[in-house]
């Protein structure tokens, strides 16, 4: 799936995978890919700027973690991030319901003969 098709929903995707606990950037990418059964393959150039933006907005916080010789930044949801995720989910449900009602309208059932 193209990154342009995810645009507008990226924040919700990132907040959602961080809901269960802190993850470093690559683990966020992997979690999105695994949850989508490989359909969503987001690039580092998309994810890292978005994580940084969400942190500047106060929706995420981050800490540095050392793994052997390497350091990596781990992100986790703030309380504001959890509230934002709730809003993202509500907006997503409304959006998918509206699109679904247009693409797959409910057709009236034929009446049974009496």
């Amino acid at each position: 799936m193209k990154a342009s098709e995810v645009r507008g929903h990226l924040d919700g995707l990132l907040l959602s995978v961080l809901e269960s606990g802190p993850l470093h950037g690559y683990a966020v990418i992997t979690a999105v890919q695994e949850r989508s059964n490989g359909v969503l393959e987001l690039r580092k150039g998309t994810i890292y700027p978005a994580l940084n933006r969400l942190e500047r907005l106060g929706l995420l916080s981050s800490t540095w973690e050392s793994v052997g010789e390497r350091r990596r930044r781990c992100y986790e949801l703030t309380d504001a991030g959890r509230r934002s995720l709730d809003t993202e989910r509500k907006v997503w449900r409304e959006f998918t319901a509206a699109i679904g009602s247009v693409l797959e309208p409910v057709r009236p059932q034929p009446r049974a003969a009496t």
Side-chain angles (χ1 to χ4, degrees):
M1 186 171 281
K2 298 176 186 172
S4 62
E5 294 171 340
V6 177
R7 199 172 291 137
H9 303 290
L10 181 60
D11 291 0
L13 295 172
L14 298 179
L15 295 173
S16 180
V17 298
L18 288 165
E19 183 177 31
S20 59
L23 295 172
H24 58 86
Y26 185 74
V28 170
I29 293 170
T30 302
V32 169
Q33 188 172 11
E34 287 175 356
R35 285 191 186 187
S36 69
N37 293 318
V39 174
L40 301 176
E41 294 185 31
L42 304 177
R43 299 173 187 215
K44 289 187 254 181
T46 301
I47 297 298
Y48 288 106
L51 291 170
N52 292 328
R53 181 177 46 75
L54 292 171
E55 184 174 21
R56 281 193 312 275
L57 292 171
L59 304 179
L60 300 178
S61 63
S62 69
T63 56
W64 285 98
E65 175 183 284
S66 293
V67 178
E69 297 284 322
R70 299 181 61 179
R71 292 185 68 210
R72 60 188 181 190
R73 191 173 214 145
C74 287
Y75 298 89
E76 68 181 310
L77 286 181
T78 61
D79 290 338
R82 289 185 191 288
R83 289 189 300 273
S84 182
L85 177 56
D86 289 342
T87 300
E88 290 280 343
R89 286 180 169 147
K90 179 182 180 215
V91 168
W92 175 252
R93 284 189 298 269
E94 291 170 353
F95 175 77
T96 56
I99 297 298
S101 67
V102 174
L103 292 178
E104 297 178 349
V106 176
R107 292 188 170 46
Q109 297 295 322
R111 294 185 183 184
T114 54

